[in-house]
Amino acid sequence: VLPRTAGAVGVAARVNTPKPVGTEIEFAANGVGEGEVTFVWDFGDGTKSEESPSGTTTHVYENPGHYPVIVVARDATGSR
């Protein structure tokens, strides 16, 4: 169970190891909130995912580098 405070969604995400350029990378997060929790991923290369109820997504990087990946989870009340 993920810790949660009032008006916030608790999120836990998996950390990936480095992969070669052009390799599909899977990202996963779990969220707990009120009602359905949806996820939007920002992959740090100018690309974002569509909002989805799935906490799992994939992405392929076209250039080598270190990318800050951010996932935003939002529940039915709009809390993040």
Side-chain angles (χ1 to χ4, degrees):
V1 175
L2 302 173
R4 186 170 176 278
T5 59
V9 176
V11 177
R14 180 184 69 217
V15 176
N16 288 319
T17 58
K19 304 280 192 248
V21 170
T23 302
E24 185 174 79
I25 301 171
E26 182 179 271
F27 297 92
N30 296 312
V32 176
E34 298 294 325
E36 181 179 66
V37 176
T38 58
F39 301 86
V40 175
W41 294 83
D42 181 334
F43 299 107
D45 63 353
T47 307
K48 288 185 178 181
S49 71
E50 296 291 323
E51 185 175 35
S52 171
S54 173
T56 303
T57 191
T58 60
H59 185 68
V60 175
Y61 290 96
E62 301 297 327
N63 296 299
H66 294 264
Y67 296 95
V69 177
I70 299 170
V71 60
V72 175
R74 186 180 313 267
D75 71 7
T77 68
S79 293
R80 304 185 329 169

